[in-house]
Amino acid sequence: MQADSQQTRPEVYTVHYILKNRIGELVDTSEGSEPLHFLMGSPDVIEGIQAAVKGRSPGDCLEVTVPPEMAYGEHREDLIRTVPRSLFEGVEKLDVGMKFQTNSGDQAQIVQVVSIDGNLVKVDANHPLAGFTLYFDLEIVGRREATEDEITQGRPLF
């Protein structure tokens, strides 16, 4: 008996989306702009969207509920830290809501200022949607095999 040597090529999906919160308020949408293009298996697109569209065809419309573990993960308290104001050297006016990229450790991380108390600044490295169940309306507008270059680079090329 011979093993099936034919590998399935990764696919590129093109999807329009509407993201709403649990009470139906609009959070984000691709309407009026470019749809989302992604290579199946890419870490750049949440697992819940990839699982929902896998094997679907252009023209398919889906309503998808994505739990935190298939989206941006649970909200983690260990990603909230209080740091000295001196770490923001060169920033004249520091305000709540500002975002910064840190380069500590082996990877860059985005943190958001959540409070300022004198010389202490509380920052949160959680994704803004961490801990939330996400509600999507998805429309698949394209699906094709990835090219060799796309597979090598791990993203669609246009």
Side-chain angles (χ1 to χ4, degrees):
M1 188 168 185
Q2 222 174 7
D4 184 8
S5 62
Q6 187 166 356
Q7 293 281 355
T8 303
R9 278 184 92 74
E11 294 182 305
V12 171
Y13 282 81
T14 302
V15 178
H16 269 298
Y17 67 90
I18 298 171
L19 170 59
K20 296 178 183 173
N21 63 18
R22 66 177 175 77
I23 59 173
E25 297 170 330
L26 181 66
V27 174
D28 192 17
T29 183
S30 65
E31 286 186 351
S33 62
E34 273 292 303
L36 175 65
H37 305 278
F38 66 92
L39 180 67
M40 185 59 74
S42 166
D44 298 332
V45 175
I46 64 172
E47 182 184 346
I49 288 179
Q50 292 190 51
V53 304
K54 187 173 185 171
R56 300 287 188 148
S57 301
D60 288 353
C61 294
L62 315 164
E63 287 184 15
V64 181
T65 301
V66 180
E69 61 272 14
M70 291 184 73
Y72 297 100
E74 295 295 339
H75 190 270
R76 294 177 34 197
E77 288 300 317
D78 64 313
L79 294 179
I80 301 171
R81 296 184 36 205
T82 300
V83 298
R85 168 72 168 87
S86 60
L87 289 181
F88 298 90
E89 183 179 317
V91 179
E92 282 187 38
K93 182 154 172 44
L94 187 64
D95 288 317
V96 170
M98 292 177 85
K99 294 180 181 176
F100 296 89
Q101 181 172 326
T102 67
N103 291 314
S104 59
D106 58 348
Q107 62 180 320
Q109 193 172 46
I110 303 295
V111 299
Q112 183 171 2
V113 175
V114 293
S115 69
I116 303 169
D117 185 10
N119 287 324
L120 297 176
V121 179
K122 187 182 281 189
V123 295
D124 185 348
N126 283 289
H127 187 281
L129 296 174
F132 290 99
T133 297
L134 307 177
Y135 303 88
F136 286 97
D137 291 333
L138 303 174
E139 178 188 0
I140 300 162
V141 293
R143 174 185 167 195
R144 62 174 174 77
E145 280 191 357
T147 66
E148 284 300 323
D149 286 344
E150 290 171 327
I151 294 168
T152 301
Q153 294 192 28
R155 63 183 177 82
L157 303 173
F158 294 94

